[in-house]
Amino acid sequence: MASGVAGTYVWPLINLQKEDGGSQRRKRGPPHPTPCYQRLSILFCRKMRVLFLLLVFLGGTQSHTTSRPNIVLLMADDLGIGDPGCYGNKTLRTPNIDRLASGGAKLTQHLAASPLCTPSRASFMTGRYSVRSGMASWNRIGVYIFTASSGGLPPSEVTFAKLLKSQGYSTALIGKWHLGMNCHNKSDFCHHPLRHGFDEFFGIPTTNLRDCQPGEGTVFASAHRWLVFVPLQVIGLAVLTLGALRCLGLLRVPPGVFLGLLLLVALLLLLLVCFLNFFRPLNCFLMRNYDVTQQPLSFDNLTQRLTAEATSFIRRWVHAETPFLLFLSFIHVHTAHFSSREFARKSRHGPYGDSVEEMDWSVGQVLDVLEELRLADNTLVYFTSDHGAHVEEVTAKGQKHGGSNGIYKGGKANNWEGGIRVPGIFRWPGVIEAGLEIDEPTSNMDIFPTVAKLAGSPLPNDRVIDGRDLMPLLQGKTRRSEHEFLFHYCNAYLNAVRWHPPNSSSVWKAFYFTPKFHPKGANGCFSTHVCLCLDGHVTRHRPPLLFDLSTDPGEKSPLTPETEPRFQDILRVMQEAADRHTQTLSADVPNQLSLGNTLWKPWLQVCCASSSGLSCQCDQQRQEQGTRN
């Protein structure tokens, strides 16, 4: 950009200086001829003055183009790559996301580092595969469900917020966190956003679930069945059997046995009632920094409140001498779906479509305030989703509540392309060419080194950083992604390898195992609600299942030695890369998603300051809104 500006404006400036110098000599020259050495001295001084002005001008131009930009990161929750209009959707209205794409670069092979919320967001924040920080599960549960869990993003991890804060940036997280909160007691906040580089936090510490909204069902149906209803049936059958045997005189059963079984039934029912009564207030609440402000969470105008916080943060720092980092982490479009009156029942795709269109409105509000405050030209805006759409989200009435992954197979919780290929849009007017489309493998881990470089921060040198700076690709300085290999994890298990060989258009992808979709012929794991990574739920492949995504992006036709002559050589190279990668992993990283770290712990439970016991009821949000009105 600097060279373009110089080419337009510097040469006329030089010509102007020469012409003015000549006219000055004609008008004010001495009446007698000037000695030669004096004429040379004057000419030298004038040329030096022109050179000085040129250097100042170029320096000013260069400093403008390389000045540290504001950073706005927008992340949707469970949005599919087939949902925005700019990625091909013709029925969902996303004019603001589309506006963002038309004004910048659209990545068509942008990948989440994991197909689940918690590990994907851990990788996004740190630029590292989540298995390196212990944020990838070795068991069935791959995300945090309870706010009073002891696991979370370790304090030793370095986030991009920490790096930018160290460079003088003002930082804020608005919306969803889902990377833990406390370690040992309810006030240590060791995993809290404010301990990971954010100056401000306003949002929810875990995630949105069906259980957070009355009448929307539960994600614990399977747990209820196996932990409550099946035991009740077994106990009931035992009582009937023992009673019959006693009546027939075949077995002497003490009355205490029946009493014990009845007490066990009462205990199970009591636990179920307590869970149904307390889960929502204990896990679905809104925080401002370290304080709980609304418990349980109200979905009324929630998107409007989060958007107002985001735009207010931008307005507060418009005249500051330091730049800002805003991470707006949407609660949309994870179930339970919600939308305000202005968007409810307005889309062609039910509650899911309403949520998408309301989120798009929020994106537009952020873009509008940047333009209003004349910050757009000095702000890098990034939009993405934490992983693919949740295709198994179907209500008991058969209403589809998940999004679209376009032509791609699978979705959330699996590493078929539908689970990890996500929207990736960058806009920085004057720096990133408008309307650019890039079909190179990139990752959400790349945000970490990209924004660190723009902020002038060195990367940590005591750990492996898996992300790569995207600016050379976005500015057209290179046409190749720096990722020759990318590794796809199903929780903590290496699931697949992607290889984009140098000087080749092919993108090879090899699966070591794939999920067992059910029912047969489905595009997901509907009986378990998400696909699982454990034996019994996957099919292992020896040799690995191989695809060329450049010709088969839908992963419909696995290659064989008969259809691909280089089959064995390709798999060998990919296996060698996987072996080199696994050698960089540390074996002694604490498992932050172990069963002990994901269970609910009463002593870690956070409640409103005005609450007592586990009642946890307050609504400072409503009081604040009433005061403003």
Side-chain angles (χ1 to χ4, degrees), residues 239-260:
V239 169
L240 291 175
T241 302
L242 291 175
L245 292 174
R246 184 179 183 185
C247 290
L248 294 173
L250 299 176
L251 183 67
R252 294 185 61 183
V253 184
V257 173
F258 291 100
L259 179 60

Side-chain angles (χ1 to χ4, degrees), residues 69-195:
N70 303 308
I71 308 290
V72 174
L73 309 175
L74 308 171
M75 177 175 279
D77 194 4
D78 289 17
L79 182 76
I81 193 172
D83 287 325
C86 55
Y87 282 92
N89 198 304
K90 304 298 183 183
T91 55
L92 268 176
R93 294 170 294 187
T94 57
N96 295 296
I97 297 173
D98 301 345
R99 160 163 64 124
L100 191 63
S102 64
K106 180 179 72 173
L107 308 183
T108 59
Q109 203 176 155
H110 196 50
L111 306 164
S114 173
L116 275 177
C117 300
T118 294
S120 172
R121 290 165 182 268
S123 294
F124 171 68
M125 294 296 303
T126 63
R128 290 152 51 84
Y129 290 108
S130 55
V131 69
R132 297 191 189 279
S133 58
M135 295 293 283
S137 174
W138 293 96
N139 53 51
R140 184 183 180 113
I141 301 175
V143 300
Y144 295 113
I145 299 174
F146 304 106
T147 58
S149 297
S150 56
L153 190 64
S156 59
E157 284 297 314
V158 178
T159 66
F160 56 68
K162 280 184 181 179
L163 291 183
L164 268 63
K165 185 175 180 178
S166 71
Q167 297 300 312
Y169 273 69
S170 302
T171 59
L173 167 60
I174 311 296
K176 172 178 171 174
W177 174 237
H178 210 184
L179 294 176
M181 190 154 61
N182 293 313
C183 288
H184 306 293
N185 59 68
K186 63 180 180 181
S187 60
D188 64 26
F189 295 111
C190 66
H191 304 304
H192 192 276
L194 268 59
R195 299 294 177 88

Side-chain angles (χ1 to χ4, degrees), residues 226-281:
W226 290 106
L227 298 179
V228 179
F229 297 122
V230 169
L232 286 177
Q233 291 173 350
V234 172
I235 294 171
L237 182 61
V239 169
L240 291 175
T241 302
L242 291 175
L245 292 174
R246 184 179 183 185
C247 290
L248 294 173
L250 299 176
L251 183 67
R252 294 185 61 183
V253 184
V257 173
F258 291 100
L259 179 60
L261 291 174
L262 290 176
L263 288 175
L264 186 56
V265 168
L267 178 61
L268 288 172
L269 291 175
L270 177 63
L271 290 174
L272 178 62
V273 169
C274 288
F275 183 86
L276 296 175
N277 186 57
F278 287 112
F279 179 86
R280 180 171 169 246

Side-chain angles (χ1 to χ4, degrees), residues 261-324:
L261 291 174
L262 290 176
L263 288 175
L264 186 56
V265 168
L267 178 61
L268 288 172
L269 291 175
L270 177 63
L271 290 174
L272 178 62
V273 169
C274 288
F275 183 86
L276 296 175
N277 186 57
F278 287 112
F279 179 86
R280 180 171 169 246
L282 295 183
N283 294 279
C284 312
F285 55 81
L286 197 63
M287 296 187 78
R288 184 182 297 280
N289 298 330
Y290 295 122
D291 299 321
V292 178
T293 61
Q294 189 175 60
Q295 195 169 18
L297 171 69
S298 169
F299 288 91
D300 292 341
N301 295 318
L302 178 57
T303 303
Q304 282 72 11
R305 286 182 277 153
L306 295 173
T307 305
E309 288 286 333
T311 56
S312 174
F313 173 80
I314 295 173
R315 291 183 184 281
R316 289 201 309 274
W317 292 101
V318 62
H319 296 300
E321 295 181 359
T322 57
F324 62 81

Side-chain angles (χ1 to χ4, degrees), residues 52-66:
F52 175 77
L53 292 173
L54 176 61
L55 291 174
V56 169
F57 184 83
L58 288 175
T61 304
Q62 183 69 15
S63 65
H64 174 74
T65 60
T66 60

Side-chain angles (χ1 to χ4, degrees), residues 43-55:
L43 183 61
F44 175 79
C45 290
R46 284 174 176 165
K47 286 189 175 181
M48 289 300 295
R49 184 170 59 192
V50 171
L51 180 60
F52 175 77
L53 292 173
L54 176 61
L55 291 174

Side-chain angles (χ1 to χ4, degrees), residues 484-556:
E484 183 179 350
F485 296 97
L486 281 166
F487 306 96
H488 304 301
Y489 281 87
C490 188
N491 288 348
Y493 301 95
L494 183 57
N495 185 188
V497 179
R498 181 183 302 248
W499 180 31
H500 187 32
N503 304 315
S504 172
S505 61
S506 293
V507 179
W508 308 104
K509 185 177 178 184
F511 277 99
Y512 297 116
F513 62 86
T514 51
K516 293 180 179 178
F517 285 171
H518 41 81
K520 188 175 181 179
N523 187 39
C525 306
F526 287 84
S527 63
T528 53
H529 193 59
V530 293
C531 293
L532 304 176
C533 309
L534 306 175
D535 284 334
H537 299 276
V538 300
T539 300
R540 299 197 175 274
H541 301 286
R542 296 182 178 86
L545 211 58
L546 181 65
F547 298 91
D548 183 358
L549 300 177
S550 65
T551 57
D552 182 20
E555 298 168 296
K556 297 177 181 179

Side-chain angles (χ1 to χ4, degrees), residues 308-357:
E309 288 286 333
T311 56
S312 174
F313 173 80
I314 295 173
R315 291 183 184 281
R316 289 201 309 274
W317 292 101
V318 62
H319 296 300
E321 295 181 359
T322 57
F324 62 81
L325 161 71
L326 170 64
F327 178 21
L328 178 52
S329 177
F330 292 105
I331 297 176
H332 282 321
V333 286
H334 198 293
T335 50
H337 295 310
F338 63 95
S339 54
S340 61
R341 184 180 306 171
E342 291 78 9
F343 295 92
R345 295 178 294 278
K346 298 294 176 62
S347 79
R348 296 169 58 181
H349 293 275
Y352 182 87
D354 298 342
S355 298
V356 172
E357 293 186 1

